[in-house]
Amino acid sequence: MSTSEPPPWPHCTHGADPAANSVGCRGIHVPGHTACLAHLADADRDAYLAGLTVGSDIDHRGTPFTEPLLDALLNTLRDPATGHARLGTAHFGLATFQGDAGFVAATFQGDARFEAATFQGDARFEAAIFVSGASFESATFVSDVSFQSATFVSGASFQSATFQDEASFLLSTFMSRSDFRAATFQNQAWFDLATFQGGAVLELATFQGDARFISATFQGDARFDSATFQSYTSFMSATFQGDARFMAAIFQGDALFESATFQGNAEFQAAVFERWVSLGPLVCAGQVSLSGAVFNGPATLSFAAHRLECQWTRWLSTAEVRLRYATVDFAHAVFEYPLTIAAKADPFVLPNGQPVAEQVLAQVPDAPVRIASLRGVDAAHLVLADVDLSGCLFTGTVHLDQVRLEGDCSFDAVPPGMHWQRGRPVWFTARRTLAEEQHWRAGQPGAARGWNVAVLGAGRAGPTQLAPVYRALRKAFEDGKNEPGAADFYYGEMEMRRHDRTGTSRAERGLLHAYWMLSGYGLRALRALGWLAVTMLITLVLMMGFGLPKETPKQEATGTVPSGGGRVTFEIEKGNLQNPTGNRFTGKRFEKALNVTLNSVVFRSSGQDLTTAGTYIEMTSRLVEPALLALAVLAVRGRIKR
C-alpha cells in the first residue's frame, strides 16, 4: 500500500498534510477514540492499557510503535504465572516498530497478523508460540530477526517478506505448512535444526547471504522451486520425509547436501549450479532428478538412491558421480569435460569416518548400479566404472568408440541352454550383447524364449542401427588393450551385418553366413575344429573309397641289350593305376588315407600314389583343411591376445 493511500480502516490523521497529499499516520483508532495508540493522550492510553487482560484481542494496524510503547502494551498482557505475554488475536498489519520488538516467549492464541509490518530494530520472537495462523506477508525486517525455538502450530506465512539482516529460525517448529514464497533474505538465513511438520514452501525465495538448513527436518513436502541461493548453501544432515523440490533453483555459491536424507523424491530439474557443488553423500529412497540441470563448476555427486534422472543435463566442468543401488538415465546429457560415473560397493563414509546411514533403502535390493540410457550423449569424455550396462540403450550415442570402461562393466548375455525356434532346437553362442539386440530379437517372429522384451519408451533399433554401435564398442575395448573383451562386440557387429537386409547385399550376407557357420566369425575355435574334424573324416572316407588305387603299381624296366655287348640303358616306369574294387575299407588303405589327410591339414603332399579322383580330393582338402585350422588358431589367438 502506498504511503499516500489511506488504509481501509478508520485511521489516525496525526501528521497529515493535505497539500502534500499525505494521509499522515495510518494507525487504526483505539476503540472509543479517534487516534491510534501511539498518538492517544497519555491518560486515554493508560486507561486503554489498564482495560486489557491476559489473552485479550488487540488491533493496532498501521500504528507506529516505539520500543517503550510496545513494552507497555506487552506488559499488560503478561501472564503472572509464566511472566510472558499472552495475546488473543493480534493485528499488526502495516505497523512500524521503530525500536527493538521483543515478543520473546509470547503466546499468540489467535491469529498473529503482521502483514506489511516494518521492524526497524531487532525483531525477537524466540520461543514464541503461534497457536493459530501467523502471517508476516510482505513484512520488512531491517535489522536482525530471530524466531529461534519458535513454534508455529498452524500455518505460517512469510510470503514476500524481506529480511535485510540476519534471520534465525534455529530450532523453530512449523507444525503446519510454512510459506516463504518470494521472501528475500539479504543476509544470513539460519534454519538449522528447524522442523517443518506440515511442509515448507520457499518458491521464488532469494537468499543473498548464507542459507543454512543444517539438520533441518521437513516432514511434509519442501518446495524451493525457482529459489535463488546467491551465497553458501548447506543442507547438511537435513531430512526430507516428503518430496523435496528445487526445480529451476539457482545456486550461485557453494552448495552442500552432505548426509542429507530424502525419503521421497529429490527434484532438481532445470536447477543451475554456478560454482562448485557437492550433492552428497546423500540417501534418497525415491528418485533424484537432475534433468535439465546445469553444472557450471566442478561437481561431486554421491548418491545412494533408487533412481537417478540426468536427461538433458549440462556438465560444463569436471564431474564425478558416485552411486549405490541407482538406475541411471543420462539420455542427451552434455559433457564438455571428463565425467566419471562409478559404482561404489560399500556405503559412503563421512569426513568423521562414520558410514552414511541407509535405513530408508533397507527394502531396496543390493543391486548393481545400472545405466538405463546413454542415447544422444557425446561419450568422448565419459568414464564408466563398475556399472551394469545390461539394460543400457546406446543407439544415438556419439563418439562411443572413445568411452572408457573401467573395472567390472557388465553387459547382458544370450539366453543359455537349448531353445526351440520354429520347431528346431537352437543353442546360442555365449557372448555379451546389447539391450537393443535383445529387444530386436525378442520382437522377431518365432523368436526363441529368453530374449528381453523392450520396455516402454525404449524405441526400436534394428541391425542397421546396432552394427555401428557394436563396432564402436569393439574399438573402445581394443583401444583399451582389451582384445579378448572386444571379441564379443566384433561377433555382435558381424551378427548385425548378417541379419541386415537393407545395408548388406545378399551375396555379402551369404558370405557372412558361411563365415558364421564355419568358425563363428573367426572367434569360435571349437566350431572351426569341429568342421576340420568333419572335413578330415570326409577326406579319409573318400580317399579309402575312391582316392587310393587298387594296389600300388610296380616299377617296370624296359630297354635293349646289343648283341655285341657294351653299355645298357633301361627306362623305369610305373604301371597304370587301377581304380579300387572289392573291399576298399581295410586297415592298410586306412593308414594310407590317414597319411594323405593329415598331410593335407598342414598343406603338404603325402607322396602317395592316387587315382585321378584321389588327386582332386587331395587338392580340395589341402585348400579347405588348412583354412579351417587357421580359423581355429585365429579364434584362440583372439581370446588370449593382449
Side-chain angles (χ1 to χ4, degrees), residues 267-315:
E267 302 178 6
F268 292 86
Q269 294 99 315
V272 177
F273 300 89
E274 296 189 357
R275 291 185 59 188
W276 175 79
V277 59
S278 177
L279 292 181
L282 60 80
V283 179
C284 181
Q287 172 179 287
V288 178
S289 179
L290 293 168
S291 296
V294 178
F295 294 86
N296 289 317
T300 301
L301 280 59
S302 303
F303 299 152
H306 182 68
R307 186 174 179 85
L308 173 61
E309 292 282 344
C310 289
Q311 298 183 23
W312 303 101
T313 307
R314 292 181 60 86
W315 310 80

Side-chain angles (χ1 to χ4, degrees), residues 389-407:
L389 298 170
S390 60
C392 184
L393 304 178
F394 283 102
T395 53
T397 305
V398 181
H399 294 143
L400 186 58
D401 58 321
Q402 298 180 37
V403 69
R404 287 181 55 191
L405 303 177
E406 306 287 347

Side-chain angles (χ1 to χ4, degrees), residues 224-439:
F224 291 84
D225 299 350
S226 299
T228 300
F229 301 87
Q230 297 182 5
S231 189
Y232 170 86
T233 303
S234 177
F235 285 86
M236 292 176 60
S237 301
T239 300
F240 299 86
Q241 297 181 6
D243 291 343
R245 294 178 49 180
F246 293 84
M247 298 172 62
I250 300 175
F251 298 86
Q252 297 179 357
D254 297 343
L256 281 80
F257 284 80
E258 182 178 295
S259 194
T261 300
F262 298 83
Q263 297 182 12
N265 297 323
E267 302 178 6
F268 292 86
Q269 294 99 315
V272 177
F273 300 89
E274 296 189 357
R275 291 185 59 188
W276 175 79
V277 59
S278 177
L279 292 181
L282 60 80
V283 179
C284 181
Q287 172 179 287
V288 178
S289 179
L290 293 168
S291 296
V294 178
F295 294 86
N296 289 317
T300 301
L301 280 59
S302 303
F303 299 152
H306 182 68
R307 186 174 179 85
L308 173 61
E309 292 282 344
C310 289
Q311 298 183 23
W312 303 101
T313 307
R314 292 181 60 86
W315 310 80
L316 306 181
S317 185
T318 57
E320 180 181 8
V321 183
R322 297 176 296 171
L323 301 170
R324 283 176 53 75
Y325 306 103
T327 298
V328 190
D329 188 346
F330 269 80
H332 306 289
V334 177
F335 316 128
E336 296 190 7
Y337 287 86
L339 183 142
T340 301
I341 304 173
K344 197 170 187 309
D346 301 320
F348 294 108
V349 178
L350 298 174
N352 59 9
Q354 296 297 318
V356 174
E358 298 180 349
Q359 287 85 348
V360 297
L361 292 170
Q363 303 301 320
V364 178
D366 192 9
V369 173
R370 301 177 182 271
I371 306 297
S373 176
L374 291 174
R375 285 182 170 175
V377 168
D378 187 341
H381 300 291
L382 182 60
V383 179
L384 303 176
D386 299 313
V387 295
D388 185 352
L389 298 170
S390 60
C392 184
L393 304 178
F394 283 102
T395 53
T397 305
V398 181
H399 294 143
L400 186 58
D401 58 321
Q402 298 180 37
V403 69
R404 287 181 55 191
L405 303 177
E406 306 287 347
D408 182 17
C409 291
S410 59
F411 290 82
D412 211 341
V414 300
M418 185 188 73
H419 301 269
W420 290 92
Q421 187 173 9
R422 295 179 179 178
R424 59 185 178 85
V426 293
W427 290 266
F428 298 105
T429 303
R431 64 182 174 92
R432 290 175 290 182
T433 65
L434 298 180
E436 287 133 318
E437 182 186 348
Q438 296 261 343
H439 302 163

